[in-house]
Amino acid sequence: MGLLFVETLPGPKVFKCKCCKVDSASQDEIVSKDFRGRFGRAYLFESVVNVSLGPNEERHLLSGLHTVNDIYCSSCQQILGWRYEKAYDETQKYKEGKYILEKARVMKVGW
């Protein structure tokens, strides 16, 4: 399989995978804290690290139809949320290329 490359984020306030404690996102990358995921509250991020993408999937979410990819921790393969690939509603286009991390799947460190 080879060695796993894990990126470590700078700064005191970081989100980490709840299962294996690998860095997932920086507080500086938060776009919104007002999102819902499958397991409750979620955050919208501009970028995340140490994740792998699942296949494209069309999903009906609260804000309409989107093409998304589930995102998994690259270390332990725990599902962390999803990436917005495409939004079909013009008012939702700002989400394209951004990531949802579910609060129930990540932990805050340094807060």
Side-chain angles (χ1 to χ4, degrees):
M1 181 173 147
L3 293 174
L4 178 65
F5 176 76
V6 176
E7 187 174 341
T8 303
L9 294 170
K13 296 183 179 181
V14 175
F15 289 85
K16 295 179 179 269
C17 172
K18 217 174 216 179
C19 289
C20 69
K21 316 293 189 278
V22 166
D23 290 1
S24 297
S26 169
Q27 176 203 18
D28 299 336
E29 296 296 317
I30 294 175
V31 175
S32 175
K33 296 179 182 178
D34 194 26
F35 275 75
R36 301 280 308 163
R38 286 176 271 215
F39 304 103
R41 291 191 56 205
Y43 302 120
L44 182 69
F45 286 87
E46 188 69 40
S47 66
V48 296
V49 296
N50 302 320
V51 297
S52 57
L53 293 175
N56 283 355
E57 176 183 323
E58 290 201 351
R59 212 176 274 170
H60 288 278
L61 304 171
L62 293 174
S63 57
L65 180 64
H66 298 273
T67 301
V68 299
N69 313 90
D70 283 334
I71 56 174
Y72 301 87
C73 174
S74 59
S75 178
C76 69
Q77 299 306 306
Q78 172 72 36
I79 190 166
L80 299 177
W82 64 83
R83 177 181 182 270
Y84 287 101
E85 181 70 28
K86 180 175 171 114
Y88 293 95
D89 184 336
E90 279 301 314
T91 64
Q92 302 300 310
K93 292 284 187 187
Y94 74 96
K95 296 177 184 175
E96 292 181 348
K98 294 182 177 57
Y99 300 83
I100 289 288
L101 289 181
E102 303 214 33
K103 192 174 177 186
R105 301 297 180 131
V106 294
M107 58 189 280
K108 294 178 180 179
V109 176
W111 299 73

